[in-house]
Amino acid sequence: MLLNIVFTFIYLQSGVFGINISKKIFIITLLIFAVLITSFALTYNMQLSNFLTLEEADTLNDVERLQNAIYTQQGYLDNMVQDWACWDDTYRFIEDRNQEYINVNLQNETLAGVKVNIMLFINETGSLVYAKSINFSTVEEKPVPEELLKLVESGQLSIKSEDDVIRGYVLLDEAPMFISCHPILTTKYEGPVKGTLVFGKYFDDDVLSSEENTDSSISILRVDEDLPPDFQGKFQQFTEAPDSTIVEPLSKEVIAGYFGLMDISGKSAVIIRTDFPRILYLNNENTLNYMYFFLLLTGLVTGVGVKFALDNFFVSRLIDIDNFVTKVRSEKDLSRRLPLEGNDELYRLSREINGMLSEIELAEQELKSQEREKKVLLDSLNELAIFVDPDFKIIWANKAALEHMKIDLEKAKGMCVKTTPDINGSLFGHMQLEKIFNSGNKESGEFSLENGTYWFVQAIPVTDDSGKIIGILGTFRDITERKAIEKLLQEKQVAEIANRTKSEFLANMSHELRTPLNSIIGFSDLLCDQIYGKLNEKQLKYANNISKSGKHLLNLINDILDLSKVEAGKMELDYREFELTDRLNSVKSLLSPIAARKNIKIEINVDKDLTTICADEARFVQIMYNLVDNAIKFSFENNPVRIEARRKGEFLETTVTDIGIGIKPEDQHKLFQPFSQVAAFSSKKFQGTGLGLSLVKQIVNLHGGYVWFRSIPGEGSTFAFSIPINGNKKD
């Protein structure tokens, strides 16, 4: 049936419109190709539907692995609170509230070790007996969220029966928290119930860290905040079916899975969306596309082969002649020749065409030789050059001018410069051409255009043998770059003056601030030592805070003063010979208490032939203190910080290596800049001023050395510097 339609269509087209043989063959090829495409389209859509079903099942499995990871963390907290609640010591603590239980079991390190943010001890009357809240990162105590205290007062967290438990999420202002409540019983799980023990852990990235989630991106939204449109619809579905999981494609490349987490009342509290690349779907789609391409190629090759076989002996030779003549006419390339062979009428026709082209080419070359000398002269100029007649019409222009006007010479000839693009009001408009034609004087000047460019323009009148002005030669040179350099030099001078003024101001202010700070630190230390009388616990705490804050501020001022001295060129180094290993051990002793908080061991490795060096001892200790302190600060817990010193010719090369968070490539340019910290460092988790590394670089440079580093995000960093072993001021 389809073939009958094809041949009927060809017959009608041939009879009515007189289509030639080549076009008929082309139409047949297209129709056969259309049949192949239609057949494939039907199977293509059916297969894509099957692939979507497989993709949805695969995504549900991935979402289930993520849910299992979360439920595992929740189960860990349930087991932990059960172990603590069913313990004779806890049972006795609710009755007598003994301090020994707190001192032994409720230390900050204990909560951090069991990965619990909050512990609440509630007696059988619903009153809060004891509460503890810590920060995992700093292992420091923090206030218990008010929302939890209100839930305790309302009795929602109290358990009366031995078999009851309360678990779920609570939406706190800081972050969602998973809490697990268990009745307080004896070690033998016997009553009566003495109260309720509540454990809480913030829902953060640690909860989602598992090997199953490395290829997905996860979005977590609370239901008590404004939800994006896609989350709002899912929230309604989770309200009706809390345990359901929703899967839907977000784009051609990403498919998402949604599921909810319940609060203590059984309602949705948190909605989690995890995005996965549509690898399965895209791979299968690509396979179908390859099949489609193969069918397309097969049909195309078949059609071309049939058409080539029919046209090779009859139509192709005439088409070649027609195409050749058309191409020579459109491209104006007279060097082409028709390469037909044979001894028939078509051969003789091609020979006559080639002879005619040879004669035309000779005449063309004679005309071009007359224009060549003028064109070479004009095109060799870098400036724009335009010659206009007394009517302000362009007679000729060089290559640079034509490119600037974005036209060729044939179009430019005869155009008036007052209406020519990019030449009229912007350049020639600055020259009074009528005045030059009348006076015969040369004119030149510099002009700035609206687009911000600067030009040097010169107009020279051209006369004939009788002295009559026959035109004006205008040249235009772009001097924007030269003007920009002049401006940058001026701005550089102003910036240098401002920088010196800033450094002098910081140095003077630092000196003025140190005197009152020393008094504050001194008197606060006297109060802490209780030389002039006993202080109560709160007064002693406040005095300690004053002393610590004052010393922190004094260190900051000292760093600013050191940086200002370097920038102002006033810092001098006190060179002396000292024991290298002793100084490295002293830095280790100073920082060991800080490292112990994260269970970090400081390791030192010094070459045996390195005993003493000649440098500024105090500044060397300052360099090492800043580098090792940074390494401890940004290292992961339970990992070593390594200090290595080795001889490199006449230089000492020292490296400090940590295993920690590392530095992203896009943030590495911020290092060694004053008051600059990368994004991860500037958070509340990592305190600092951003002056340490800048001072390290400046002090190393003063010693005649240099600083470098390498870092891999998530694996750690190595900071190193090299200074002369036997340095002196002259060097």
Side-chain angles (χ1 to χ4, degrees):
M1 182 63 182
L2 182 60
L3 291 177
N4 290 335
I5 295 175
V6 171
F7 288 120
T8 301
F9 175 76
I10 295 173
Y11 173 77
L12 292 175
Q13 295 296 325
S14 177
V16 177
F17 300 104
I19 297 178
N20 58 34
I21 296 175
S22 181
K23 290 184 178 179
K24 293 176 183 177
I25 296 173
F26 181 69
I27 292 174
I28 294 174
T29 303
L30 287 180
L31 290 175
I32 295 174
F33 187 62
V35 172
L36 293 175
I37 293 177
T38 303
S39 301
F40 177 75
L42 296 175
T43 58
Y44 183 86
N45 292 329
M46 294 173 60
Q47 290 297 327
L48 280 183
S49 177
N50 294 333
F51 295 153
L52 288 173
T53 304
L54 291 174
E55 180 186 46
E56 182 177 357
D58 184 66
T59 304
L60 284 173
N61 290 334
D62 291 336
V63 173
E64 184 178 354
R65 286 197 294 269
L66 176 60
Q67 289 175 317
N68 291 337
I70 296 175
Y71 296 154
T72 299
Q73 295 287 338
Q74 296 174 358
Y76 167 79
L77 195 66
D78 291 339
N79 294 334
M80 189 61 63
V81 71
Q82 180 180 351
D83 289 343
W84 280 66
C86 298
W87 188 19
D88 290 341
D89 289 352
T90 305
Y91 199 82
R92 186 165 50 255
F93 173 70
I94 294 297
E95 293 179 338
D96 56 16
R97 306 182 186 182
N98 61 87
Q99 186 64 32
E100 181 182 0
Y101 181 86
I102 297 174
N103 296 336
V104 174
N105 303 304
L106 302 182
Q107 297 300 312
N108 295 354
E109 292 77 6
T110 304
L111 272 69
V114 298
K115 298 185 180 300
V116 175
N117 288 107
I118 289 177
M119 284 187 178
L120 302 178
F121 293 82
I122 306 171
N123 61 20
E124 63 269 22
T125 64
S127 300
L128 183 64
V129 174
Y130 183 80
K132 186 84 168 183
S133 175
I134 68 162
N135 185 308
F136 278 174
S137 302
T138 61
V139 196
E140 294 180 357
E141 191 167 350
K142 55 185 292 187
V144 178
E146 292 294 334
E147 302 94 315
L148 278 181
L149 296 178
K150 291 180 180 179
L151 289 175
V152 173
E153 293 178 0
S154 66
Q156 297 184 47
L157 302 183
S158 296
I159 298 176
K160 303 300 182 181
S161 172
E162 297 179 6
D163 299 326
D164 288 344
V165 292
I166 299 175
R167 62 194 305 272
Y169 286 87
V170 176
L171 298 180
L172 305 179
D173 291 340
E174 180 177 353
M177 172 177 281
F178 178 75
I179 64 170
S180 181
C181 309
H182 196 279
I184 297 177
L185 304 171
T186 66
T187 304
K188 297 181 178 180
Y189 297 90
E190 297 177 349
V193 176
K194 281 295 182 179
T196 305
L197 180 59
V198 181
F199 277 16
K201 181 178 181 181
Y202 286 108
F203 187 79
D204 52 20
D205 293 340
D206 292 338
V207 179
L208 300 176
S209 61
S210 65
E211 296 181 356
E212 292 85 353
N213 305 322
T214 54
D215 294 333
S216 63
S217 92
I218 301 172
S219 302
I220 306 170
L221 273 76
R222 305 158 51 126
V223 300
D224 60 345
E225 297 178 349
D226 292 337
L227 297 174
D230 63 320
F231 278 85
Q232 291 178 0
K234 308 305 178 295
F235 174 66
Q236 298 296 330
Q237 297 182 46
F238 290 142
T239 302
E240 299 173 358
D243 295 330
S244 62
T245 300
I246 302 171
V247 175
E248 65 179 27
L250 295 181
S251 65
K252 185 174 179 61
E253 293 80 16
V254 178
I255 187 169
Y258 300 81
F259 64 92
L261 300 176
M262 304 297 106
D263 60 13
I264 58 177
S265 62
K267 299 179 180 179
S268 293
V270 175
I271 297 178
I272 298 179
R273 186 186 83 189
T274 175
D275 301 339
F276 300 94
R278 304 182 68 180
I279 298 175
L280 176 64
Y281 177 80
L282 293 177
N283 288 341
N284 290 323
E285 186 182 34
N286 289 336
T287 302
L288 290 179
N289 290 336
Y290 292 146
M291 293 175 59
Y292 176 84
F293 175 75
F294 176 75
L295 290 176
L296 173 65
L297 184 61
T298 302
L300 185 60
V301 171
T302 302
V304 170
V306 172
K307 187 176 185 301
F308 176 79
L310 295 176
D311 287 350
N312 186 44
F313 301 103
F314 304 104
V315 183
S316 59
R317 297 177 70 191
L318 286 174
I319 293 177
D320 289 341
I321 295 175
D322 180 64
N323 291 339
F324 174 79
V325 174
T326 302
K327 183 173 291 186
V328 170
R329 183 178 180 183
S330 61
E331 297 180 358
K332 299 180 180 180
D333 185 3
L334 300 178
S335 64
R336 291 178 175 272
R337 295 295 181 269
L338 192 60
L340 288 181
E341 298 179 355
N343 193 21
D344 54 10
E345 291 79 7
L346 293 178
Y347 170 74
R348 289 190 289 273
L349 175 62
S350 65
R351 185 180 59 187
E352 294 297 325
I353 292 174
N354 289 337
M356 180 180 62
L357 289 175
S358 298
E359 294 177 0
I360 296 174
E361 185 179 12
L362 290 175
E364 182 80 11
Q365 290 176 355
E366 292 179 2
L367 293 175
K368 289 182 178 179
S369 63
Q370 298 176 4
E371 299 290 334
R372 187 173 295 115
E373 293 183 2
K374 181 175 69 175
K375 179 176 177 58
V376 170
L377 176 64
L378 295 176
D379 290 344
S380 64
L381 300 175
N382 293 326
E383 296 87 353
L384 313 184
I386 301 176
F387 186 67
V388 298
D389 62 13
D391 295 327
F392 312 126
K393 293 183 179 180
I394 297 175
I395 298 177
W396 46 258
N398 69 345
K399 182 179 180 181
L402 294 173
E403 291 177 351
H404 184 79
M405 293 185 291
K406 301 177 182 178
I407 56 176
D408 55 33
L409 182 59
E410 295 301 323
K411 292 183 179 179
K413 287 181 179 180
M415 296 181 64
C416 181
V417 295
K418 295 185 177 181
T419 60
T420 302
D422 296 321
I423 291 294
N424 55 348
S426 58
L427 291 177
F428 252 124
H430 290 286
M431 308 301 297
Q432 300 179 8
L433 298 181
E434 295 88 349
K435 179 181 177 181
I436 298 174
F437 274 114
N438 294 331
S439 64
N441 296 327
K442 178 176 68 174
E443 295 287 342
S444 62
E446 294 181 0
F447 305 97
S448 62
L449 304 183
E450 294 180 356
N451 60 6
T453 59
Y454 290 85
W455 293 81
F456 176 78
V457 183
Q458 187 176 47
I460 303 174
V462 180
T463 60
D464 57 12
D465 295 338
S466 63
K468 180 181 177 181
I469 298 177
I470 60 174
I472 294 177
L473 176 62
T475 59
F476 311 88
R477 185 167 69 252
D478 190 346
I479 59 173
T480 305
E481 184 175 353
R482 190 190 76 188
K483 289 291 185 181
I485 293 174
E486 293 175 356
K487 183 178 179 182
L488 287 175
L489 288 175
Q490 295 175 355
E491 293 176 350
K492 180 177 179 293
Q493 293 173 354
V494 173
E496 289 175 348
I497 295 173
N499 188 52
R500 287 195 297 269
T501 304
K502 180 264 295 181
S503 298
E504 293 175 359
F505 170 76
L506 288 176
N508 292 332
M509 286 302 299
S510 299
H511 278 295
E512 294 298 328
L513 289 172
R514 289 173 70 180
T515 300
L517 268 177
N518 284 326
S519 297
I520 293 172
I521 294 170
F523 285 115
S524 61
D525 287 341
L526 290 175
L527 291 175
C528 292
D529 295 336
Q530 304 184 51
I531 294 176
Y532 300 107
K534 294 289 185 179
L535 300 179
N536 60 39
E537 183 179 352
K538 183 174 292 186
Q539 291 171 338
L540 188 60
K541 177 181 178 182
Y542 291 160
N544 278 321
N545 289 340
I546 294 172
S547 177
K548 290 180 181 177
S549 299
K551 291 174 182 176
H552 177 73
L553 184 56
L554 182 60
N555 289 333
L556 174 60
I557 292 173
N558 288 334
D559 287 346
I560 295 175
L561 181 59
D562 288 341
L563 189 61
S564 302
K565 285 182 178 179
V566 174
E567 292 179 350
K570 296 181 179 180
M571 176 176 282
E572 297 183 357
L573 300 179
D574 182 16
Y575 282 87
R576 64 179 60 183
E577 196 172 47
F578 59 91
E579 293 287 336
L580 175 61
T581 304
D582 291 346
R583 297 287 69 80
L584 294 179
N585 285 329
S586 65
V587 173
K588 175 181 178 180
S589 299
L590 288 173
L591 293 173
S592 290
I594 300 176
R597 298 173 188 169
K598 299 175 69 175
N599 197 20
I600 291 175
K601 183 180 180 181
I602 302 175
E603 301 175 356
I604 299 176
N605 184 15
V606 181
D607 284 355
K608 294 180 179 180
D609 60 340
L610 271 177
T611 55
T612 61
I613 65 171
C614 184
D616 189 318
E617 182 177 358
R619 297 301 178 187
F620 179 84
V621 172
Q622 185 177 4
I623 293 171
M624 293 304 305
Y625 185 92
N626 283 332
L627 293 180
V628 178
D629 182 53
N630 278 350
I632 295 171
K633 186 184 300 181
F634 304 119
S635 289
F636 297 135
E637 294 185 3
N638 305 316
N639 286 289
V641 170
R642 298 184 178 89
I643 304 173
E644 296 185 0
R646 61 183 66 89
R647 177 188 292 271
K648 293 289 184 178
E650 296 301 321
F651 280 77
L652 165 68
E653 182 183 283
T654 308
T655 61
V656 179
T657 304
D658 65 77
I659 302 174
I661 62 176
I663 307 165
K664 296 179 180 178
E666 61 267 22
D667 292 328
Q668 293 181 2
H669 70 280
K670 301 178 182 178
L671 296 177
F672 303 108
Q673 297 181 11
F675 303 100
S676 176
Q677 293 178 299
V678 299
F681 296 175
S682 59
S683 62
K684 291 182 179 180
K685 181 177 179 180
F686 303 108
Q687 298 181 353
T689 62
L691 291 176
L693 288 180
S694 177
L695 276 173
V696 167
K697 180 180 179 182
Q698 299 285 6
I699 296 173
V700 170
N701 289 343
L702 283 177
H703 278 82
Y706 54 97
V707 181
W708 71 97
F709 75 97
R710 56 181 177 269
S711 181
I712 301 176
E715 295 184 16
S717 305
T718 296
F719 284 80
F721 67 93
S722 180
I723 61 174
I725 295 177
N726 296 309
N728 56 66
K729 292 185 178 180
K730 293 182 180 180
D731 292 340

